[in-house]
Amino acid sequence: MTNKTAIVTGASGNLGQAVVKKFLAEGYRVVGTVVPNDPVSFDLEDVNMEKVEVNLLNEEDSEKFVKTIIDKYKTVDAAVFTVGGFAMGKIADTKTTDIQKQYKLNFETAYNVARPVFNQMMQQGNGRIFMIGSKPGLSAKAGKGMVAYGLAKSLIFRLAELMNDEAKGSNVVTCVVVPGTIDTPQNRKAMPDAKFEHWVTPQSIADVIYFCCSDEAADLRQPIIKLYNQS
Ligand SMILES: NC(=O)c1ccc[n+]([C@@H]2O[C@H](COP(=O)([O-])OP(=O)(O)OC[C@H]3O[C@@H](n4cnc5c(N)ncnc54)[C@H](OP(=O)(O)O)[C@@H]3O)[C@@H](O)[C@H]2O)c1
């Protein structure tokens, strides 16, 4: 049986690693992107895992990367774009350059791969795309003091709407996953007194993403999936 192919960006990140492991465990071939000279070592001994260095801020490189994968494996069945990052700052502290930084990290890194992947999925007639939103991207209230981050993430929701609108009538679906606080070493260090068990684990997010690619979830359309646990 031919493996299905999944692209996972930010493969060495907290969520990225969990998604890679889940899809490998379920028999997918996984192509994971890492930043050139990634300081985080991430090497999985799995014949179905391919690690590719690509700077997703470069549109041409991102497009070339996706084209290489299509040439090699013919289809892209699932794509999970986990690259993103966070910044604090009220309006008084937020300059245009701060917004641009967050826009690039949270939106451009997704858009640069989403566009060629979406085009491919529309041609092949099926596929599932996952982009990662956040509460501050969903509502301005939740984004108080996180102006640049909230604005950047809000575009993810709008992009998913536009993609789902263009894909109406096909079996190509873009989902926005909205995690609450993810249980990561960085968050534990930053919030040592928090109730970690109230957070959402990267593994449980990966499980839900995988479920959305399964036959059982075939009818899902335009999903915004809030995975908050108690956070
Ligand atoms: N953590 C939370 O509590 C939380 C809550 C809500 C939403 N989210 C969202 O969930 C997603 C995953 O979060 P996470 O905690 O797993 O983040 P993470 O561990 O920081 O992972 C992000 C990954 O993206 C990579 N990356 C950064 N810039 C890149 C670029 N230009 N090209 C290619 N790769 C690049 C990073 O590589 P390097 O580390 O090597 O730079 C890292 O491996 C993000 O979109 C985040 O905004 C997180």
Side-chain angles (χ1 to χ4, degrees):
M1 200 183 80
T2 331
N3 302 49
K4 287 185 171 177
T5 302
I7 290 177
V8 180
T9 72
S12 65
N14 293 296
L15 179 57
Q17 287 201 30
V19 174
V20 166
K21 285 178 190 155
K22 177 67 184 171
F23 276 75
L24 284 173
E26 298 291 347
Y28 270 70
R29 172 189 303 115
V30 178
V31 184
T33 76
V34 296
V35 273
N37 308 312
D38 194 0
V40 184
S41 79
F42 177 60
D43 288 302
L44 274 179
E45 294 290 322
D46 193 310
V47 287
N48 289 320
M49 170 68 193
E50 186 176 335
K51 189 170 90 172
V52 182
E53 286 194 0
V54 44
N55 177 10
L56 298 173
L57 289 173
N58 185 310
E59 186 166 22
E60 224 175 278
D61 287 357
S62 305
E63 210 161 352
K64 263 191 217 151
F65 156 69
V66 175
K67 189 178 178 312
T68 309
I69 300 310
I70 296 165
D71 287 347
K72 213 165 162 184
Y73 301 124
K74 309 303 172 213
T75 60
V76 180
D77 302 282
V80 188
F81 308 137
T82 78
V83 174
F86 175 76
M88 295 293 290
K90 289 184 175 186
I91 287 178
D93 317 308
T94 304
K95 292 191 167 175
T96 319
T97 48
D98 300 312
I99 298 173
Q100 275 166 354
K101 261 191 214 160
Q102 282 292 300
Y103 160 81
K104 279 178 170 290
L105 183 57
N106 286 289
F107 185 78
E108 271 193 20
T109 58
Y111 191 73
N112 285 342
V113 259
R115 197 170 72 89
V117 165
F118 180 71
N119 291 341
Q120 168 62 24
M121 287 180 175
M122 289 300 283
Q123 269 183 38
Q124 69 195 31
N126 59 69
R128 293 291 180 272
I129 291 174
F130 299 85
M131 301 195 286
I132 315 299
S134 68
K135 286 185 189 176
L138 198 53
S139 101
K141 249 191 195 153
K144 259 187 208 159
M146 300 172 231
V147 171
Y149 176 66
L151 285 172
K153 282 291 192 195
S154 69
L155 285 176
I156 291 289
F157 294 87
R158 186 49 61 91
L159 173 62
E161 260 182 72
L162 290 165
M163 287 163 67
N164 282 322
D165 197 50
E166 279 197 28
K168 243 181 214 158
S170 78
N171 188 21
V172 177
V173 178
T174 300
C175 316
V176 185
V177 175
V178 191
T181 308
I182 304 179
D183 190 358
T184 66
Q186 294 86 340
N187 280 341
R188 284 190 179 218
K189 199 171 165 207
M191 295 171 267
D193 298 328
K195 289 189 168 145
F196 305 147
E197 68 276 16
H198 286 187
W199 294 350
V200 56
T201 64
Q203 293 74 23
S204 78
I205 300 172
D207 287 349
V208 172
I209 289 176
Y210 177 74
F211 170 75
C212 293
C213 296
S214 66
D215 290 346
E216 288 77 9
D219 291 345
L220 261 184
R221 288 294 181 278
Q222 306 169 25
I224 293 177
I225 304 162
K226 299 176 184 177
L227 293 169
Y228 296 167
N229 192 4
Q230 309 290 329
S231 68

